[in-house]
Amino acid sequence: MKKDIQIPEVKDVYVAVVREFNETHRTNDWNAYIINDKEVDLDMVLIVTKGYDQDRETSLMRHKLDKLPAKSYAKVEFLQDEVLALNNEFKVTFFEGTSMFDKTYLFRKNTINENALQTIPLMKLKGVLVR
């Protein structure tokens, strides 16, 4: 039964971690975003995140977006500097029409840093992107 379930490949949906200035706290923060570069809306977007390495693991964080419009992005969570030294995993599940999609995005430990910044699609900001 399980082998009969087909989950299509995810295309044009990304996770990015962007360095942004926080006006309230006057700090440069790392924030994770989900990006929908598709021409269609995504429904019921579920995101489960965690940080881990061989010795440590963070709590699971769960996020839900009812809808992520076409060619848009949404902030998922703030990342503390301490978790950048861990592998940061984002498990993303969503519906496009009647089809369910699922993909795991992984930022390997210490890959989120100033030297890895690139321009992020749609956002026109600098960050680290996983496709």
Side-chain angles (χ1 to χ4, degrees):
M1 297 272 215
K2 251 184 170 180
K3 64 180 175 33
D4 296 328
I5 297 173
Q6 298 291 323
I7 298 179
E9 180 183 354
V10 174
K11 294 181 183 172
D12 299 325
V13 176
Y14 317 117
V15 173
V17 177
V18 176
R19 187 74 156 175
E20 297 177 296
F21 184 72
N22 182 321
E23 290 286 339
T24 305
H25 300 287
R26 316 265 324 137
T27 58
N28 286 312
D29 295 340
W30 291 102
N31 294 303
Y33 285 85
I34 183 161
I35 301 169
N36 177 10
D37 202 15
K38 292 178 173 280
E39 299 292 337
V40 296
D41 296 348
L42 306 181
D43 295 312
M44 191 61 69
V45 181
L46 303 173
I47 306 162
V48 178
T49 67
K50 73 175 180 178
Y52 65 90
D53 66 11
Q54 290 178 338
D55 306 318
R56 302 170 291 176
E57 187 170 323
T58 66
S59 299
L60 287 179
M61 302 290 287
R62 294 174 179 83
H63 310 277
K64 176 182 154 239
L65 301 167
D66 290 325
K67 184 175 287 288
L68 184 59
K71 298 292 183 182
S72 71
Y73 54 90
K75 186 187 278 188
V76 176
E77 68 184 19
F78 162 76
L79 295 174
Q80 294 179 320
D81 288 336
E82 296 81 24
V83 301
L84 302 180
L86 303 174
N87 295 311
N88 287 279
E89 183 178 87
F90 294 77
K91 291 185 181 219
V92 178
T93 304
F94 61 90
F95 285 91
E96 180 182 321
T98 58
S99 297
M100 183 178 84
F101 292 79
D102 182 71
K103 184 169 182 175
T104 299
Y105 299 86
L106 179 64
F107 293 89
R108 297 221 178 266
K109 61 184 178 179
N110 298 313
T111 58
I112 301 170
N113 61 60
E114 296 287 338
N115 297 329
L117 297 179
Q118 61 182 346
T119 302
I120 304 299
L122 289 179
M123 298 182 77
K124 307 301 183 227
L125 296 172
K126 296 282 187 178
V128 181
L129 180 73
V130 173
R131 296 179 185 261

